[in-house]
Amino acid sequence: MKQLLPFDDALKAVWGGKDPKAFLRLGILYSQGIGTTQNEILANYFIKKALDMGCKEAEEYLNVEYESGKKDFADDFESYIGEDGSASQETIVKLRAKVEVERKAKHYGNLSRIREHLPIIYPEYNREKAIQDILSGLNTIDADILFSTSTSGNRSEIYIEQQDRLLHQLYIQAESDDSMWEYINTNALGKDESELAQCLENLTSSYKSVCQKYNIKPQEIHSPGTLDLYPYIKVQTMATLRRQGFRCLLSIKDVDPMITDEYLEKLDDDQALLDICEKIKNQDLQLFLISFVELNIDLDSLQITSLHLLHSFRNHNLDPLVEHINAFVDRLNKAGIKNHLPIYTPELLPPIDLSVKI
């Protein structure tokens, strides 16, 4: 992006009304308070204007702002919708385009945050079709709407590719230290990773039992033994686990007719699902539903951590990254696992470039 013009020149450039980059420059200047009083309302107005004019640089700028946590996708999205929840057809077309960008990137956390608006934008949504699409492994708009509006706690499943690039480069020295991997064990896992592994063990075991008892063809789901847990769990793997768990849940929805309708209506409420568990007589089904709730909680906790690391890096704060990687090194040392990893400082961190694909 070209160097920003001084405020007066940027304002003058906007008067012409034809250059979308001029609107972007002015919006950034208002956002950063350069040459004028900081004003987020005007900043959002001019950046949105640049977006509406098809400015690719505005889209790139907002992506970095979202990744850094400075801007919130849901707030930005909702600025297009009236207080009564209405939107013009022209606005709906624009919002669908924004949703499709998030769907393509599999940012279901962002879609979950705008869950109440999705049926407005897609009035043709059909839940029964969505269920069948998910059970068939299809990523249709119906399937994604059901998934996004039903999974509780799915607020951090965003910018997955950038998070994985960051973690890969942060742990690059650990991944290349072959001398320690034959000695690695669960002591190398953090608290959240350990809880996730235990949850998956309960989930896969109870799901298998339910499927066998009711002659249901089981859906694919990762077990702890099939996961690459070291030196970290990939964010993409966590996203896959969430989708797999949801698909398994839908596959056994008809096992207990007494509670089927109840839990299908309460999928976005963890506590309500746990309350329903008390009514279930089948212990395997009860354990599965409890494990499903725990799965979403454990995944959200891990994803919040990795998203926080991404936000910190984007905001040029390396201290959380240092603390995170040193906690891993400390677990190795306490477990007596020999390694060649240093005690990290901001200066000793591996170079991180999020533009480099893995």
Side-chain angles (χ1 to χ4, degrees):
M1 193 179 295
K2 294 180 180 179
Q3 185 175 1
L4 295 177
L5 296 172
F7 178 78
D8 289 342
D9 288 341
L11 187 61
K12 184 177 180 181
V14 165
W15 290 345
K18 295 181 180 180
D19 182 5
K21 292 182 182 180
F23 285 87
L24 172 61
R25 288 195 295 267
L26 188 59
I28 294 175
L29 292 174
Y30 270 120
S31 178
Q32 298 178 353
I34 298 176
T36 185
T37 302
Q38 189 175 19
N39 189 319
E40 285 300 325
I41 294 177
L42 287 175
N44 290 336
Y45 171 81
F46 286 109
I47 293 172
K48 180 180 173 184
K49 191 75 174 178
L51 276 173
D52 291 342
M53 296 170 72
C55 180
K56 290 293 184 183
E57 289 84 352
E59 186 176 329
E60 293 169 3
Y61 171 79
L62 278 179
N63 283 342
V64 173
E65 292 290 282
Y66 293 147
E67 289 171 24
S68 67
K70 293 177 181 177
K71 283 189 177 294
D72 187 290
F73 172 80
D75 290 345
D76 183 53
F77 186 97
E78 290 172 358
S79 68
Y80 286 83
I81 298 177
E83 293 183 3
D84 60 351
S86 63
S88 67
Q89 190 58 41
E90 181 183 1
T91 298
I92 286 177
V93 171
K94 291 179 180 178
L95 293 180
R96 282 196 179 198
K98 291 173 74 69
V99 169
E100 286 304 312
V101 170
E102 299 304 297
R103 284 188 64 228
K104 184 177 180 181
K106 297 184 178 180
H107 293 166
Y108 295 116
N110 273 340
L111 298 186
S112 178
R113 300 191 66 197
I114 58 170
R115 63 178 69 180
E116 67 272 22
H117 300 308
L118 291 176
I120 298 173
I121 301 168
Y122 296 93
E124 66 275 23
Y125 163 67
N126 183 293
R127 190 175 78 169
E128 290 307 312
K129 179 180 181 300
I131 292 174
Q132 292 307 312
D133 286 346
I134 287 180
L135 291 176
S136 300
L138 302 176
N139 290 95
T140 62
I141 183 61
D142 288 282
D144 286 348
I145 289 176
L146 177 61
F147 182 64
S148 301
T149 56
S150 298
T151 50
S152 178
N154 189 5
R155 302 300 180 93
S156 304
E157 196 174 310
I158 50 180
Y159 319 120
I160 291 173
E161 187 175 344
Q162 289 85 347
Q163 290 183 55
D164 272 339
R165 289 180 189 180
L166 173 63
L167 289 171
H168 172 70
Q169 294 175 54
L170 181 63
Y171 280 93
I172 191 70
Q173 292 170 326
E175 289 188 287
S176 60
D177 191 347
D178 296 331
S179 63
M180 66 180 177
W181 292 115
E182 62 181 292
Y183 304 104
I184 225 70
N185 55 46
T186 54
N187 290 325
L189 295 177
K191 177 176 178 290
D192 289 341
E193 288 95 338
S194 296
E195 290 180 353
L196 176 61
Q198 181 61 57
C199 173
L200 277 175
E201 187 173 324
N202 295 335
L203 186 79
T204 53
S205 174
S206 57
Y207 179 63
K208 180 180 179 181
S209 295
V210 172
C211 289
Q212 287 177 339
K213 181 173 182 178
Y214 294 95
N215 196 27
I216 295 171
K217 182 180 179 180
Q219 297 283 329
E220 179 187 6
I221 187 166
H222 290 308
S223 65
T226 62
L227 283 185
D228 185 4
L229 297 171
Y230 310 108
Y232 62 92
I233 302 176
K234 292 181 175 61
V235 183
Q236 181 58 62
T237 299
M238 291 190 278
T240 300
L241 280 171
R242 192 190 295 273
R243 191 82 171 203
Q244 287 180 340
F246 188 64
R247 187 178 299 131
C248 290
L249 179 68
L250 293 181
S251 75
I252 60 174
K253 66 181 178 63
D254 296 323
V255 165
D256 191 336
M258 296 294 292
I259 57 96
T260 294
D261 289 339
E262 279 192 76
Y263 82 63
L264 284 179
E265 296 298 331
K266 301 293 184 181
L267 288 174
D268 63 341
D269 187 335
D270 288 337
Q271 187 56 55
L273 285 179
L274 292 176
D275 291 341
I276 292 172
C277 284
E278 298 179 5
K279 304 177 184 180
I280 299 175
K281 304 302 182 184
N282 183 293
Q283 290 186 344
D284 287 320
L285 180 59
Q286 187 180 62
L287 177 58
F288 172 79
L289 194 55
I290 292 172
S291 299
F292 172 78
V293 173
E294 290 180 348
L295 176 71
N296 284 310
I297 293 172
D298 291 345
L299 289 174
D300 197 50
S301 180
L302 283 165
Q303 289 173 335
I304 285 174
T305 297
S306 60
L307 185 61
H308 172 63
L309 295 177
L310 178 64
H311 287 345
S312 299
F313 177 78
R314 285 295 197 188
N315 289 315
H316 310 292
N317 176 16
L318 298 181
D319 290 341
L321 280 70
V322 170
E323 182 180 349
H324 184 80
I325 188 67
N326 277 340
F328 172 72
V329 176
D330 186 54
R331 291 195 297 272
L332 294 180
N333 292 335
K334 286 182 177 178
I337 299 172
K338 293 182 180 181
N339 62 87
H340 302 99
L341 302 177
I343 299 300
Y344 288 93
T345 65
E347 294 73 29
L348 284 179
L349 283 179
I352 296 173
D353 182 356
L354 297 185
S355 66
V356 177
K357 294 186 177 183
I358 56 175

